[in-house]
Every structure is written in structure tokens, then in C-alpha cells.
Amino acid sequence: MAKVASPLTPEFIEKMKVILLEDRVRLKKELAKYGTRENEGPDKEALFPDYGNSEEDNALEVADYEANLSLETDLTKSLRDVESSLARIEKGTYGICKYCGKPIAEKRLLARPTSSADISCKKTIVQEA
């Protein structure tokens, strides 16, 4: 796999960095609502709500906990993707497909700033799944 130099301008990369940094702040705020631990790692757990002691309260607590756990998992994955994208910016590999080494289109990055695969490779990955 031959690596290609990124055709992205420094201005575009800076714009994407700002977007990613804003996403990181937003995701961390959202995670703080659902988690009980300070880190964003795999040990973070969704907060178990406490609405009271009746059976109805207990059932609602379990339902909300399950919903919160799912949301927390999604937010954690999104934050990990943002952190990975910021690391690629620092390494100078942002905008380069991690599978084929070709540039990722600006349109794709604008639509999904955490993209690490170009459209062709992403289609192949999705078809194999």
C-alpha cells in the first residue's frame, strides 16, 4: 500500500481540527451526564438512576439505566473516534485512508470528520460485514 501525501490544505485541516475539538468538548459533557467515573475508558459505567423504592420506580430505573448504558457506549465510541482523528492530525496522517493510503475526499471529511477510510474502502468493509 503506497501512502499518498494528503492533498488537504493546512487551512482545511485546521478547520477540521476546530470541529473535532468542539465535538470532543460536547461529547465529554454528554458523557458526564451518564457516567460515574472520571475517565472515558472502558471502565466507565453508566450512572444507575434512583427514583424511589416502589416497584414502578425500580422498573423505570432499570429501563433508564439500560437506555443510559447504550447512550454512554455510543458517546464513548464517538469520543474515541474524535481522539483518534485528532491524533492523526498531529501525526500528519489525517485525511489519508488507513487501508489503502489514498486521500479521503474533503466532502467525506466534512460530512464525517472522524472518517479514517475513503469511500471505496468503506464500501468494501461494509459489504464484508
Side-chain angles (χ1 to χ4, degrees):
M1 148 175 79
K3 291 269 182 186
V4 176
S6 175
L8 303 175
T9 65
E11 294 80 15
F12 182 82
I13 291 174
E14 187 59 32
K15 175 182 178 178
M16 299 312 295
K17 184 176 182 179
V18 168
I19 290 169
L20 289 163
L21 289 170
E22 289 171 354
D23 281 350
R24 179 168 66 183
V25 169
R26 178 186 56 80
L27 289 166
K28 284 185 174 189
K29 282 182 183 177
E30 286 294 315
L31 274 167
K33 294 177 189 176
Y34 298 107
T36 58
R37 300 194 183 172
E38 292 180 15
N39 67 340
E40 278 78 29
D43 294 333
K44 187 172 176 108
E45 295 177 355
L47 188 62
F48 197 90
D50 184 10
Y51 301 138
N53 293 322
S54 73
E55 283 186 37
E56 187 175 297
D57 291 336
N58 292 340
L60 187 55
E61 289 169 358
V62 170
D64 284 353
Y65 174 76
E66 288 176 357
N68 289 349
L69 190 58
S70 177
L71 286 170
E72 185 266 334
T73 298
D74 291 344
L75 290 169
T76 299
K77 287 177 183 176
S78 294
L79 181 59
R80 185 179 56 233
D81 290 346
V82 167
E83 296 291 357
S84 177
S85 296
L86 289 168
R88 287 194 311 276
I89 287 174
E90 295 305 313
K91 288 187 221 171
T93 59
Y94 182 77
I96 303 296
C97 178
K98 69 179 184 179
Y99 300 103
C100 69
K102 294 179 182 174
I104 300 171
E106 281 187 18
K107 279 182 162 182
R108 176 156 172 75
L109 292 170
L110 286 168
R112 189 168 185 274
T114 58
S115 295
S116 61
D118 67 2
I119 292 290
S120 177
C121 289
K122 186 63 175 181
K123 284 180 182 177
T124 301
I125 293 165
V126 170
Q127 289 173 355
E128 290 176 359

